[in-house]
């Protein structure tokens, strides 16, 4: 689909620009309350100026722990609804927090923006490049604020590390490395089955192409299936790639090259367990992403980290003994600086709430998040095609490779959550039975 037509078609559905949120209290709805959504419920409940008005969750079996997290903070329980649109239709809701599986991230955020709500959106902000750009355009045209869930942008110790890189103390900086090296589990193999009681599976699938229910494509394991997830490069790698790109002060790559595959796990996972992807930028800068999710040992003492290399030294950013920090090494490789901090992530939530009041861009504005997540999608395109790609930043396309270009978008089924302006051609619909 022509990119200009894609966005012009979507723009036809955009509403008018909405005003600022109230200056006293912020009422939010949280969409998806299992796992990360439960943690965000507890985090926002601890902010005194925030009221959680709704939980929107299609699986009734996961609601209680999130309600308990709100109660633990001494706050009133929110209303629980299965259909997120009920929360979006409430004019008293100022903002929406989205912690669904990846395939719902951009569609739900677009719906929220069109309903006049600001958005806190978990990473990755999209399931593919095209819907990520559509989300950015929707936010801009509707005047909505979107904070991307890359918390490092608000973590003070990480901001100090990036400031150190930008100070010039490392000399000339031309390369960074981001890695995701940790031990995931073998999920085995399971047959399709009936959905559990209390789950609206049709709503859970949403605008994605229909697949029968399978436990290995459901809670958390959806990460490892192309229909719903973006693999661990989109799951954890999005954080490290974002920090590395921030340190290098680069935007889109000119090209991405490398290899990726599933070489360890012999289970139902589709996405790679191993990746080595290099990104090249204007000016000669390079970023290397390395992923191994089958080993029990860290790299440089950090499971998920970033290294930035300069002519006069290097810096490592990550967690040591579960505490965020950074280490600086001189040109002889000797440790010169080691700083750590508790580094709680509620600063990211506080930044979002403050921006709702001031209408300033948040620390992880959606455009910033989108550019970082494009790197994740390019890595996955390399994994799925088996070859390197060139990237046209002006059009956000992959020229000269029809197979790779097709993977910058996806097919959708006819559903109320399907973003306006996207093609659903060729998608097999679920049969009524």
């Amino acid at each position: 689909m022509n990119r200009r037509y894609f966005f012009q078609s979507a723009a036809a559905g955009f509403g008018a620009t909405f005003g600022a949120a109230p200056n006293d209290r912020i009422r939010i709805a949280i969409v998806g309350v299992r796992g990360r959504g439960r943690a965000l419920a507890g985090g926002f409940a601890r902010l005194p100026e925030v009221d959680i008005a709704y939980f929107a969750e299609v699986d009734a079996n996961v609601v209680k722990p999130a309600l308990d997290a709100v109660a633990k903070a001494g706050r009133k329980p929110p209303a629980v609804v299965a259909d997120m649109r009920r929360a979006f239709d409430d004019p008293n809701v100022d903002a929406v927090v989205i912690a669904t599986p990846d395939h719902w991230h951009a569609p739900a955020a677009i719906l929220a923006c069109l309903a006049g709500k600001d958005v806190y959106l978990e990473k990755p902000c999209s399931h593919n490049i095209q819907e990520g750009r559509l989300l950015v355009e929707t936010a801009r045209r509707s005047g909505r604020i979107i904070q991307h869930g890359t918390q490092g942008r608000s973590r003070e110790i990480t901001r100090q590390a990036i400031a150190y890189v930008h100070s010039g103390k490392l000399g000339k900086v031309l390369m960074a490395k981001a890695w995701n090296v940790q031990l995931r589990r073998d999920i085995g193999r399971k047959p399709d089955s009936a959905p559990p009681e209390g789950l609206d599976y049709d709503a859970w699938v949403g605008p994605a192409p229909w697949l029968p229910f399978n436990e290995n494509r459901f809670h958390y394991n959806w990460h490892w299936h192309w229909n719903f997830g973006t693999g661990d490069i989109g799951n954890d790698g999005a954080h490290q790639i974002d920090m590395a790109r921030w340190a290098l002060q680069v935007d889109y790559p000119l090209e991405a090259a490398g290899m990726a595959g599933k070489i360890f796990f012999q289970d139902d996972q589709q996405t790679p367990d191993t990746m080595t992807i290099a990104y090249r930028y204007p000016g000669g800068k390079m970023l290397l992403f390395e992923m191994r999710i089958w080993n029990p040992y860290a790299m440089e003492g950090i499971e998920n980290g970033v290294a930035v290399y300069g002519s006069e030294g290097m810096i490592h950013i990550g967690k040591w003994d579960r505490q965020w920090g950074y280490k600086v090494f001189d040109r002889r490789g000797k440790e010169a600086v080691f700083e750590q901090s508790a580094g709680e992530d509620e600063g990211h939530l506080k930044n979002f709430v403050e921006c709702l009041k001031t209408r300033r861009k948040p620390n992880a504005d959606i455009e910033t998040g989108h550019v970082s997540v494009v790197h994740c999608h390019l890595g996955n395109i390399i994994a799925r095609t088996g070859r390197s790609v060139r990237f046209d930043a002006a059009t956000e396309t992959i020229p000269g490779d029809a197979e790779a270009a097709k993977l910058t978008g996806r097919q959708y089924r006819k559903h109320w959550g399907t973003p306006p302006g996207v093609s659903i051609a060729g998608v097999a619909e679920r049969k009524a039975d």
Side-chain angles (χ1 to χ4, degrees):
M1 176 177 286
N2 178 278
R3 181 172 179 267
R4 179 176 297 175
Y5 175 78
F6 180 87
F7 297 130
Q8 286 177 345
S9 298
F14 292 168
T17 299
F18 298 87
N23 289 321
D24 47 1
R25 303 203 61 75
I26 304 294
R27 288 170 53 86
I28 68 170
I30 301 180
V31 182
V33 297
R34 182 187 181 275
R36 184 60 188 154
R38 180 176 67 247
L40 288 169
F44 277 108
R46 289 189 289 272
L47 301 183
E49 67 269 52
V50 174
D51 294 322
I52 302 177
Y54 291 93
F55 282 167
E57 174 57 64
V58 298
D59 185 359
N61 303 293
V62 303
V63 173
K64 186 180 183 304
L67 290 173
D68 291 345
V70 173
K72 185 177 179 180
R75 309 300 296 277
K76 294 181 179 179
V80 179
V81 298
D83 189 332
M84 66 181 78
R85 292 173 295 179
R86 287 187 58 189
F88 297 171
D89 288 343
D90 188 335
N92 295 313
V93 170
D94 303 302
V96 173
V97 178
I98 298 170
T100 62
D102 293 354
H103 70 286
W104 259 115
H105 281 186
I110 288 169
L111 286 173
C113 287
L114 295 177
K117 316 302 182 186
D118 297 310
V119 179
Y120 182 102
L121 179 61
E122 268 305 318
K123 51 73 203 165
C125 59
S126 61
H127 183 269
N128 59 77
I129 293 173
Q130 288 185 11
E131 70 177 24
R133 171 48 56 185
L134 179 59
L135 174 58
V136 174
E137 297 294 331
T138 304
R140 296 296 184 250
R141 287 190 172 96
S142 62
R144 295 296 88 198
I145 286 171
I146 302 181
Q147 173 88 296
H148 191 233
T150 38
Q151 297 90 354
R153 292 276 174 167
S154 298
R155 189 183 303 117
E156 186 55 36
I157 193 69
T158 302
R159 294 172 69 88
Q160 290 175 21
I162 299 298
Y164 193 102
V165 175
H166 294 171
S167 73
K169 294 177 182 177
L170 296 180
K172 191 174 184 179
V173 173
L174 291 175
M175 184 176 179
K177 184 175 184 177
W179 63 88
N180 173 17
V181 177
Q182 60 184 309
L183 180 61
R184 295 285 186 188
R185 67 182 183 91
D186 187 310
I187 66 172
R189 296 186 181 278
K190 294 184 179 179
D192 295 343
S193 62
E197 291 292 327
L199 169 66
D200 183 345
Y201 182 63
D202 187 80
W204 188 90
V205 173
W210 179 263
L211 287 176
F213 178 84
N214 188 298
E215 286 185 29
N216 268 351
R217 291 192 294 263
F218 192 44
H219 286 329
Y220 206 81
N221 289 338
W222 56 259
H223 280 291
W224 324 128
H225 292 271
W226 295 122
N227 204 50
F228 305 120
T230 54
D232 224 31
I233 190 173
N235 181 33
D236 274 347
H239 289 292
Q240 281 66 52
I241 288 172
D242 183 68
M243 285 188 277
R245 189 179 70 78
W246 184 14
L248 285 177
Q249 297 178 284
V250 294
D251 292 319
Y252 295 106
L254 296 169
E255 60 182 329
M259 292 179 287
K262 185 179 172 183
I263 66 173
F264 186 82
F265 292 120
Q266 303 300 314
D267 59 8
D268 281 339
Q269 296 182 63
Q270 294 179 328
T271 58
D273 56 29
T274 306
M275 303 183 91
T276 301
I277 309 292
Y279 305 90
R280 184 176 65 86
Y281 304 89
K285 292 184 178 181
M286 295 186 68
L287 190 160
L288 179 66
F289 175 71
E290 185 173 340
M291 184 184 86
R292 295 186 302 279
I293 56 173
W294 43 264
N295 52 229
Y297 48 84
M299 191 164 70
E300 306 290 357
I302 313 168
E303 281 190 342
N304 301 315
V306 172
V308 185
Y309 306 102
S311 57
E312 302 302 317
M314 65 179 174
I315 189 170
H316 291 169
I317 308 170
K319 276 185 178 180
W320 291 267
D321 297 323
R322 299 187 178 185
Q323 198 169 53
W324 283 99
Y326 64 94
K327 291 183 179 181
V328 179
F329 301 84
D330 63 24
R331 60 185 303 164
R332 297 185 303 275
K334 182 180 179 181
E335 184 180 311
V337 177
F338 182 23
E339 297 286 346
Q340 281 187 289
S341 171
E344 61 186 47
D345 289 336
E346 283 186 13
H348 207 47
L349 311 187
K350 292 176 182 177
N351 173 252
F352 175 61
V353 170
E354 183 60 29
C355 290
L356 299 189
K357 299 175 182 179
T358 64
R359 310 312 294 171
R360 292 195 298 265
K361 283 186 179 181
N363 290 337
D365 174 62
I366 186 55
E367 183 89 46
T368 299
H370 171 64
V371 174
S372 292
V373 170
V374 163
H375 289 66
C376 303
H377 295 320
L378 291 175
N380 281 333
I381 288 171
I382 289 172
R384 299 180 75 174
T385 61
R387 56 183 174 271
S388 303
V389 296
R390 292 182 295 115
F391 188 69
D392 186 329
T395 59
E396 294 190 2
T397 58
I398 297 175
D401 188 332
E403 182 186 5
K406 186 176 181 180
L407 293 174
T408 63
R410 76 166 307 166
Q411 292 181 324
Y412 300 84
R413 68 178 181 132
K414 290 181 179 178
H415 188 270
W416 55 261
T418 301
V422 300
S423 173
I424 60 171
V427 178
E429 295 302 313
R430 181 176 69 91
K431 294 180 180 180
D433 50 18

